[in-house]
Amino acid sequence: MSKEVRVRFAPSPTGALHIGGVRTALYNYLFAKKNGGKFLLRIEDTDQNRYVPGAEEYIKNSLEWIGITPDESPWKPGEVGPYRQSERKPMYMEYAQYLLDQGHAYYAFDTPEELDEMRKRLTAARVVSPQYNSITRTQMKNSLTLPADEVKARLESGDPYVIRIKIPRKEEVRLNDMVRGWVMVHSNSLDDKVLMKSDGMPTYHLANIVDDHLMGITHVIRGEEWLPSAPLHVLLYKFLGWEDSMPQFAHLPLLLKPDGNGKLSKRDAEKHGFPIFPLNWTSPENGELVDGFKEAGYLADAFLNFLAFLGWNPGDQREMFTVEELIEAFSIERIGKSGTKFDINKAKWYNEQYLRKKSNAELSDYLLADLAKENVTVSKEKAEKIVSLMKERATFPADLWKEGRFMVFAPKEFDDRIVDKKWNENVVIVLSAFRDKLEAISTELTADMARTMLGETAEEKEIKLGKIMQAVRLAITGVGAGPDLMQIFEILGKEELILRIDFALKNIKAS
RNA sequence: GGUCCGUUCGUCUAGGGGUUAGGACGUAUCCCUUUCACGGAUGAAACACGGGUUCGAUUCCCGUACGGACUACCA
């Protein structure tokens, strides 16, 4: 029997969660659920300088918005906590010490200035990539070069030090990535990465391996930017004696800029006017507010569906998926290898599809909320009617109101272009006569009635209805295009219609 | 520069030794609609290049080009 699948999403609380991060979280979630496993959230806050207040909550809220709440997290601890690396600080030294004892790590006392100097010197000597490695470490101040008593003295006197991994020479490091296959790297190209910082905190590399091990992580699904350091991680598992329980790796393709090349950034989002964060984010540093997908009007299920398809596909031609269906269909084998350019049009398309699937009742809540902001109230029933007319033409819930204001507010101005083109005597004749007929009826106006009445009126006046239809629309709505006019008439009702016709007749002047 | 990863329509992708190289977004045209949108139909549009291997390569191999990631006491 194989052990339970456990995966984790491990972001750093350094700011708003980027859409790529959300996708990583989603894939982890889908994989966990597909395999009946657990999805954990671990906060990687080992860099205290980069900690941004509010970022943790933001991550939590973002995941909750799309409904992928972790099974274990700082807010819902399981058995393997704490779930914040800063709170796990005391746990790491033990493993660093073990590596030290095994000769797989060493103390290094070089100051930042000395490191800088070393890099400058190597660059000047035209060394291709200046790094702290098996060659250069022999010229630096560390427990490999310094006499044992000096090392001891330095440690005892509290000299600042870091612990570095001692990368072996001439060793082939290989790993079998679930999306990329075998990746091989020669240890000579690896450098002696810092494992423990001078502030006593582990670096990502150590913390990550220790935590994944201790938390029973079986699969590491993360962005491709980690691929170059994966061999280092494999070495660490080996040195710590955890080779047998080493998780399987899956490195996800990157999300790329929509134009040109490179990794998708906040800058691109601004440039093209689309969101890049799931939720609104107000930077604590400068108070700047960046729009999130949610606030921009993207529906959670549409966003999730869209996100799932950024680098993955089910292998058949379906593309509308609920979370449950995604879980069912998901597999790492079907994740693509190449980077994915971000296309906001596809996101909009998904949103339209999901918007149309929503019931009028549900959608009317959005409309009612928007109306409330302008201190307007209409009945739920009327709101639903408006929504049913508007939803086929909306991309975002806000469009319901933006494009349908005339359903509630009588137009005060009329589109000049349509006035110029379509407004004439015939329109005035038919509209006036229609208005009087409206006044004469005693029942509620229905769309069918309106259609018949208007048709008859035009016939009586011997005017082609087609010639004046758009002008009639203009008189009632102020604009030249929109949903079926007769349906609008029904929703407006005859009193409102009469008022609007009177206003139009009085205020529209043909040029 | 070095290491690693990648490359099918504009974009996301399916496919995989013999296919009219399929779908979706976008786009064009037409139909529907007394408007616009929705919807429907149809079209334009792709295997980066060069060598192998093979009867045959877009598919396998090698190179080249191009793109990307990484190259911190950041994750």
Side-chain angles (χ1 to χ4, degrees), chain A residues 254-269 271-272 339-342:
Chain A
L254 259 17
L255 260 28
L256 270 19
K257 294 177 190 297
D259 59 347
N261 310 301
K263 200 154 73 151
L264 182 66
S265 70
K266 193 179 137 198
R267 179 84 196 75
D268 301 306
K271 181 174 158 195
H272 296 275
T340 302
K341 280 192 185 168
F342 187 83

Side-chain angles (χ1 to χ4, degrees), chain A residues 428-444:
Chain A
V428 176
I429 292 167
V430 175
L431 225 35
S432 309
F434 179 64
R435 179 219 180 276
D436 294 339
K437 282 192 180 182
L438 236 29
E439 203 152 49
I441 62 167
S442 53
T443 56
E444 286 283 304

Side-chain angles (χ1 to χ4, degrees), chain A residues 392-418:
Chain A
E392 294 287 294
R393 50 215 311 123
T395 299
F396 303 114
D399 297 338
L400 263 16
W401 178 226
K402 222 183 294 171
E403 304 296 323
R405 291 185 71 89
F406 60 78
M407 294 288 207
V408 176
F409 291 143
K412 295 199 178 61
E413 285 162 13
F414 301 89
D415 188 331
D416 288 335
R417 287 165 308 179
I418 311 293

Side-chain angles (χ1 to χ4, degrees), chain A residues 250-382:
Chain A
H251 288 95
L252 270 21
L254 259 17
L255 260 28
L256 270 19
K257 294 177 190 297
D259 59 347
N261 310 301
K263 200 154 73 151
L264 182 66
S265 70
K266 193 179 137 198
R267 179 84 196 75
D268 301 306
E270 283 160 4
K271 181 174 158 195
H272 296 275
F274 59 74
I276 191 170
F277 299 141
L279 272 28
N280 271 1
W281 169 253
T282 307
S283 163
E285 292 118 47
N286 53 22
E288 188 196 343
L289 173 79
V290 186
D291 240 15
F293 276 91
K294 182 185 179 190
E295 291 79 2
Y298 288 87
L299 304 166
D301 41 11
F303 180 67
L304 181 126
N305 196 154
F306 164 71
L307 218 49
F309 272 72
L310 248 33
W312 171 87
N313 74 83
D316 53 36
Q317 281 162 357
R318 294 173 297 161
E319 43 189 357
M320 301 304 289
F321 281 80
T322 63
V323 206
E324 290 74 25
E325 289 164 339
L326 282 171
I327 291 169
E328 175 60 30
F330 189 78
S331 80
I332 291 186
E333 291 70 44
R334 297 215 60 90
I335 293 175
K337 293 182 187 13
S338 47
T340 302
K341 280 192 185 168
F342 187 83
D343 182 12
I344 196 66
N345 274 328
K346 197 82 182 206
K348 285 185 182 163
W349 178 78
Y350 269 114
N351 217 53
E352 286 165 4
Q353 302 304 311
Y354 277 86
L355 195 74
R356 285 179 202 135
K357 284 203 287 188
K358 295 242 184 279
S359 69
N360 295 337
E362 197 173 344
L363 250 22
S364 65
D365 289 337
Y366 285 104
L367 180 63
L368 258 12
D370 281 340
L371 286 167
K373 280 181 209 153
E374 300 197 34
N375 293 315
V376 183
T377 40
V378 303
S379 69
K380 176 89 178 166
E381 194 194 351
K382 185 169 179 183

Side-chain angles (χ1 to χ4, degrees), chain A residues 150-184:
Chain A
E150 184 179 345
V151 172
K152 194 161 174 258
R154 277 179 181 261
L155 292 175
E156 276 165 7
S157 70
D159 259 21
Y161 67 88
V162 300
I163 297 173
R164 287 180 181 271
I165 184 170
K166 188 180 171 193
I167 296 286
R169 277 185 72 72
K170 295 183 186 161
E171 194 170 308
E172 190 113 287
V173 187
R174 39 171 61 209
L175 79 134
N176 195 196
D177 188 271
M178 291 172 85
V179 345
R180 270 149 235 285
W182 283 103
V183 176
M184 265 161 278

Side-chain angles (χ1 to χ4, degrees), chain A residues 186-205:
Chain A
H186 200 90
S187 66
N188 287 6
S189 69
L190 266 25
D191 62 341
D192 289 354
K193 281 272 182 298
V194 170
L195 263 21
M196 283 297 243
K197 301 185 262 191
S198 54
D199 64 359
M201 274 292 200
T203 58
Y204 170 84
H205 304 293

